[in-house]
Amino acid sequence: EYELCEEWGHLYPVPREDLINLHREHLLHLLEMGDMEKALKLLQRIEDPGVCLAISEQSLDQHPNLAASHFLADYLTAHFYASLTTARRNEIQALYIGSKVLLTLPELSRVNYVHLSSRPLLMLEQLLMNMKVDWVALAVQTLHQLLAGQEISFTVEDIDSLLSKYAEKALNFPFTLKERRS
């Protein structure tokens, strides 16, 4: 009965923290149900930008499912970019990019990499170490598209450097090949 509680909040004075908690729980419920449209409408109904920012950040910090994290990171970046500290901005953008890369992986395999969603470079490295070359190709393509014109803690050059490092390791043979004589 989130809507009823919201109406009650319009009729009677409700402490700010209680209002934030109500909206956060409602938002998380909508995101768990996969109803991104209603979640967006809920955030748009909140008139106070400070309350909206608090709700969005607290919801993201609850570590919801992958789609919800992606939605919240995108919403925070789009609407509150200037209000966030540089460190928080980088953290949210990394989560956005990491969740986008995760969404390119096969659905059943995402669970193995979801703990790396806020560290896209580490996720890429893990994919390389697991020899998931096709997945790496998709991830690199997605990263190149997302990093175009973005300010974030890593660059396309960092990705290329990582790929070069692992390509070099793949060609490194620890023994010498001896020629057989017949």
Side-chain angles (χ1 to χ4, degrees):
E1 297 298 323
Y2 292 112
E3 284 87 8
L4 179 62
C5 292
E6 190 176 336
E7 286 178 34
W8 186 269
H10 290 298
L11 298 173
Y12 299 98
V14 177
R16 178 183 162 100
E17 282 306 308
D18 291 341
L19 198 58
I20 289 172
N21 291 337
L22 166 70
H23 288 305
R24 183 189 67 235
E25 292 303 317
H26 188 192
L27 179 63
L28 288 170
H29 171 73
L30 291 171
L31 292 173
E32 277 180 31
M33 301 303 286
D35 198 342
M36 305 304 175
E37 189 177 319
K38 280 188 179 177
L40 183 60
K41 287 179 182 176
L42 169 66
L43 290 169
Q44 289 171 341
R45 277 196 313 265
I46 300 168
E47 295 172 7
D48 184 350
V51 170
C52 192
L53 174 60
I55 292 164
S56 303
E57 278 195 289
Q58 287 179 19
S59 297
L60 186 62
D61 291 340
Q62 296 272 325
H63 304 289
N65 64 38
L66 179 61
S69 293
H70 186 72
F71 171 85
L72 289 166
D74 185 35
Y75 184 82
L76 282 164
T77 303
H79 293 86
F80 298 106
Y81 189 82
S83 304
L84 301 168
T85 65
T86 304
R88 183 69 169 159
R89 195 178 307 145
N90 287 341
E91 177 186 328
I92 290 170
Q93 284 182 319
L95 181 64
Y96 174 78
I97 289 172
S99 61
K100 188 73 167 179
V101 169
L102 267 174
L103 289 169
T104 66
L105 302 181
E107 192 171 341
L108 295 174
S109 302
R110 291 176 190 162
V111 71
N112 298 326
Y113 301 97
V114 74
H115 65 285
L116 299 172
S117 61
S118 63
R119 303 184 66 196
L121 275 181
L122 193 56
M123 185 188 319
L124 185 62
E125 188 168 6
Q126 187 70 49
L127 289 168
L128 285 166
M129 290 190 318
N130 291 340
M131 305 291 275
K132 304 293 185 187
V133 180
D134 294 340
W135 298 356
V136 169
L138 279 172
V140 168
Q141 182 181 5
T142 302
L143 286 169
H144 278 275
Q145 290 170 355
L146 291 172
L147 290 176
Q150 291 268 347
E151 281 181 42
I152 194 151
S153 58
F154 64 94
T155 62
V156 172
E157 288 78 24
D158 294 327
I159 295 169
D160 292 343
S161 172
L162 183 68
L163 292 173
S164 296
K165 176 180 150 185
Y166 277 89
E168 182 180 315
K169 285 183 180 197
L171 297 174
N172 187 11
F173 296 103
F175 56 90
T176 57
L177 297 174
K178 294 183 180 180
E179 194 175 305
R180 288 188 178 183
R181 294 183 184 189
S182 58

